[in-house]
Amino acid sequence: MAELESSIEKKLIEQLCYGDSQWTYRPDLKTEEDLWANFRHILEQNNKAKLDDVPLTDSEFEQVRNQIQFASFYDAGRWLVGENGRVYVHVQRGNDTLHLLVLNHAHVSGGTSVYEVINQYRAFKEEGEEQLDERDRRFDVTMMINGLPLIHVELKNREHSFMDGFRQIKKYIGEGKFKGIFSAVQMFVTSNAVDTRYFSAARDTELNPKFLFSWLDEENRPVPGYLDFAGKILRIPEAHEIVTKYTVLDQDARRLILLRPYQIHAIEVIRRASKRGISGFVWHTTGSGKTLTSYKATRNLLTDIPAVEKTVFLIDRKDLDEKTTMDFQSYAENDIVDVDETDNVTDLIRKLADDDRQMIVTTIQKMQIMINRRLTEKHPKYKRIRSLKIAFVVDECHRAVTPATKRAFETFFTGSLWYGFTGTPRFPENPYPMMGDLPRTTEALYGPCLSRYTIKDAVHDEAVLGFMNEYLIDSDIDPNDPDINPGLYERESHMLMVLNTILNKSNEKFGIANGKGKTYEAILTTTSIRQAQRYYDLLKKVKAGGTPVRINEEIHKVLPDFPKFAITYSISENEEGSAVNQDKMKEALQDYNDMFGTRYGIDQIDGYNTNLNKRLARKEDKFKARSRQLDLVIVVDRLLTGFDAPCLSTVFMDRPPMQPHDIIQTLSRTNRLFDKRKQYGQIVTFQEPKRFRAAVDEALKLFSAGGIGDAVAGDWDETESAFVAALADLRALTPTPADVTGLSKREKKRFAALFQRFDRLLTQLRSFTVFDGRNIEDYGITQAEYEDYKAHYLNVIEELRGDRDDGGEGDGGETPLNMDYEPLAYDSVKIDYEYIIGLIQDVVSSDDEEEDFASKVMEIRGYITEFSRENEKLGGMMLRILDDVERDRQAYAGRNISEILARMKSEAIYDVVDSFSEKWFVSREAVEYAVENNNHGAIPNATVLKDSLRYADYRESTAEPLKKPKARSQMIAELENVIEKEILPLQNGVRS
């Protein structure tokens, strides 16, 4: 029999409070009022002098309570940053404002810090909420610092997955249980005793299972057991530091970020090295969050090492329009240290010379001008700046600062430390070009490798995705020819082959089945600016229907505007052909402006590039709508290094192989974690397949420290062979889907594991462009059979979830069973309703013969039927329009179908608002406002609505009226339901 959760909970509390640990168990704190009283006591104890030994009155403490009830975990994080590391609440006492200290981040393991552990906290009920089952309303273990719940743990026994704890936390957040004093939580932990994960606090809709982190020691070895985890990271000082020192607030994304273990270890090893006056470099694979790590390392050097007077983050000028400065400013927006970007060389001199301890972001070019031209020995600030105890941190250090430049900087700054970050170090196998006696490797240039986290480590830890590579052959070019004429790749026929592959054979790569606004992006990289321009012009012709390549109609059912594309490249005045480049870019800028309503001219190219980067990154909410997204960007070298866009899935490469470090940088644009369907970062090459395969393999081995591991998926032949074997295993156990129901419990576990493997391989198989034109019937299984197997699989998983006895592990030697796996191979294509409206409009405007007209109407009716499965209300409206068109096509001649549908939707919404207002005797204007401004169903003006309820009228007209508080709550609950069921399907206009 599995160990009880209560026993696991007890052992965790004992671990936290054992020996020299500073956690104190408080079994007496069980309710929200208990926690407020405890927080009040600690606050008064830590502020006796400011309070003049006069305790807070109830009204004064109510002021405090109002300041510690946050709208989001992110807002709580902003408050917890404090002022110079001190967190305050403010109380008005008479004519005085008292600034009361809540937390002092310098007081780790002492000072004013009080560490307490509680368990079985009873979450409060909302007004009018029915009494819930007691077990459902209890939290497991919570850790509090100075009375504030900052870390919360949900525990399961070994019969359950740690994901059950994750789902429970998500459910509680969605139900509003983390409110009041619990709205301060910054970190969650979930464990089933044998597997433990931590993650940052976020809204339930923002929680992603891919961002649950395991703890790893400094050798990247996992620490899965809950007691070992607690001993490593939940003890003091580590627990205090992870929610303060190792938490980052991303201002742009408005979210909390908890650093991963390897990031924390790297920062710690830099701190230790700086204390000993040692420089060095950090090798963390591209895509693992180097900019975030380097930001925290730069910031912590300033706060942790008193001897360091300034920290300078150096970047190359060409990176300014990409992401590093933008990320730094976003991370530093709410930090306790100043992060300044220098505007010019004079500004840089001023900031280096002043007495402020600050973090400076500047370019190598400004630093060079300062040293070589401006800061002579006669300059009044020369001695001050040259004698600074300064630490330089360099992102992408192998390319940002050349060996010659670094030597010049070190010669000038005699008291400098240097810390380089790179995902692709220079080794003896890929050294810098020889230039006199200058260093040729990263180690020779910066010092020893202080922290290593390779591609192999990151893929194994699921910090990034692995790669799936395809090396395609142009049928008109002999791949075995050792002397291929490069001009063959510039022929229009070759370029059309490339575009046809991208547009018509890459549905999986673009995630077309994900639906509008949720698709992926790609980059096409070419050999030259001229070739990029040719591709851009040719793609415009393809989209306009001016070439033999036609975009598949199946794609346009989902994305009528596919592909939306742009181009970016350098337009330097000094480059040969710059006038032509500028003229071509002007045309591209106008296309971009027309597409998105922007106004970029050639003199605003930096602004264009910044906007393009943000649009591709999709980290801001405004870029999550399809109308503001791109599908493809054509580049030469831009965006192939340092660019972070999790929704970018593929790089198409129509160019020869590059150097190993450039190959890895390019590959790594694609393998950021995103959603459940994105399984790999994908690379498709169109030139020299054998040479390219060898170059990629060599690069991956070099930057995985000798072993690729799981970094690369099998090629087509390997994947196809594995899929055939997986299908055979599935058929051996269950020859037909109907056979699943007769399996024993043990056999059902095996079936579920076999189906998961089969589905994963089928998903991977369908991602290859080679799969185009094939279907799974070629392998002896129909799509209908797949759907039946999938339905049985979902039933089996639910059955096993309800009755587990092995924690979800497979039977001896079988493929492990992942209880949270969701089938991916065939998702229903989400047909865009705008596409259907367009079809109706076309059939109205056409002069087709009756037979063709009837055929088209029947086809549209099929699309509407499919659409209606997930949006019945809007589908019904479209069907009514189609019925009318079929009866009398002439009556609709010259009419705008989109406007007709919009009017129907408005009338339907009006009727819903009217009916609800009359039923509940509430303000129609307030209901209309709630309907028009709801946030995914949430009511923005709930208080106004409650106050507008005319209770006397309601009570008089209702047979069994509720009491006033209950009636008000019930009214809001019903409106939320009405919005979800009646309004959202009409407002969204897309399948959910």
Side-chain angles (χ1 to χ4, degrees), residues 50-224:
K50 289 182 180 178
L51 291 168
D52 200 21
D53 279 334
V54 177
L56 293 166
T57 65
D58 288 346
S59 63
E60 288 172 341
F61 187 64
E62 191 60 29
Q63 296 177 46
V64 172
R65 288 179 61 142
N66 289 337
Q67 293 170 62
I68 307 179
Q69 301 197 52
F70 304 102
S72 70
F73 298 117
Y74 171 80
D75 290 337
R78 291 181 61 192
W79 174 72
L80 285 166
V81 168
E83 304 165 26
N84 297 316
R86 293 176 175 83
V87 184
Y88 295 97
V89 287
H90 312 286
V91 173
Q92 195 68 34
R93 177 175 278 183
N95 295 323
D96 298 325
T97 300
L98 305 179
H99 306 288
L100 306 181
L101 180 69
V102 177
L103 287 169
N104 186 337
H105 294 318
H107 292 179
V108 178
S109 300
T112 59
S113 295
V114 178
Y115 304 106
E116 298 168 308
V117 178
I118 65 171
N119 71 320
Q120 294 300 300
Y121 165 80
R122 295 192 292 273
F124 56 85
K125 296 187 297 180
E126 292 294 309
E127 179 187 347
E129 184 180 25
E130 295 295 336
Q131 180 68 35
L132 298 175
D133 178 75
E134 189 172 62
R135 180 182 175 191
D136 290 338
R137 297 177 61 248
R138 290 178 183 266
F139 291 175
D140 289 344
V141 177
T142 306
M143 282 157 275
M144 307 192 302
I145 302 178
N146 286 11
L148 289 176
L150 297 183
I151 302 173
H152 177 66
V153 183
E154 281 296 329
L155 298 166
K156 298 297 173 187
N157 64 22
R158 290 167 177 82
E159 292 183 355
H160 294 267
S161 164
F162 67 86
M163 283 297 297
D164 287 343
F166 170 76
R167 280 187 285 267
Q168 189 165 324
I169 290 168
K170 187 173 182 177
K171 173 186 174 186
Y172 286 172
I173 294 172
E175 291 176 349
K177 297 296 184 286
F178 286 92
K179 289 186 177 178
I181 197 167
F182 257 88
S183 63
V185 168
Q186 299 289 282
M187 171 178 165
F188 290 111
V189 178
T190 176
S191 179
N192 68 341
V194 297
D195 202 343
T196 307
R197 308 294 172 95
Y198 71 97
F199 55 101
S200 56
R203 291 188 176 93
D204 61 314
T205 54
E206 297 170 345
L207 290 178
N208 186 337
K210 289 196 173 188
F211 295 96
L212 273 63
F213 306 151
S214 301
W215 185 255
L216 308 172
D217 66 16
E218 292 194 5
E219 301 301 320
N220 293 323
R221 293 175 301 216
V223 182

Side-chain angles (χ1 to χ4, degrees), residues 437-452:
D437 66 342
L438 290 173
R440 300 190 65 197
T441 66
T442 308
E443 183 169 358
L445 188 61
Y446 284 89
C449 180
L450 301 175
S451 177
R452 187 177 82 173

Side-chain angles (χ1 to χ4, degrees), residues 298-314:
T298 312
R299 177 252 197 222
N300 285 3
L301 280 171
L302 200 63
T303 57
D304 291 351
I305 313 298
V308 174
E309 298 175 84
K310 304 275 185 182
T311 56
V312 175
F313 190 84
L314 277 179

Side-chain angles (χ1 to χ4, degrees), residues 914-929:
D914 231 28
S915 175
F916 186 87
S917 304
E918 291 176 5
K919 175 182 176 180
W920 283 100
F921 296 92
V922 290
S923 162
R924 192 192 186 287
E925 290 73 19
V927 176
E928 192 169 23
Y929 181 88

Side-chain angles (χ1 to χ4, degrees), residues 653-712:
M653 304 179 71
D654 191 22
R655 59 190 298 168
M658 303 170 301
Q659 291 297 310
H661 42 272
D662 293 325
I663 287 175
I664 294 300
Q665 287 286 344
T666 301
L667 264 64
S668 298
R669 295 316 101 209
T670 67
N671 71 332
R672 305 302 203 270
L673 301 179
F674 188 49
D675 61 12
K676 68 174 184 177
R677 288 192 60 86
K678 186 181 176 186
Q679 300 292 302
Y680 294 97
Q682 302 195 63
I683 303 298
V684 181
T685 71
F686 297 97
Q687 297 189 23
E688 304 183 62
K690 290 186 177 180
R691 212 176 120 226
F692 228 126
R693 182 191 296 269
V696 170
D697 289 347
E698 177 189 345
L700 285 167
K701 287 176 183 175
L702 181 62
F703 293 108
S704 293
I708 296 177
D710 299 325
V712 181

Side-chain angles (χ1 to χ4, degrees), residues 788-825:
D788 287 345
Y789 272 123
K790 174 181 172 181
H792 282 293
Y793 164 78
L794 295 173
N795 291 337
V796 166
I797 284 294
E798 284 306 311
E799 182 182 336
L800 294 177
R801 277 197 185 122
D803 183 22
R804 288 188 238 195
D805 60 10
D806 69 348
E809 296 301 318
D811 299 319
E814 294 289 349
T815 304
L817 176 57
N818 177 359
M819 301 297 292
D820 301 295
Y821 181 84
E822 297 180 39
L824 299 172

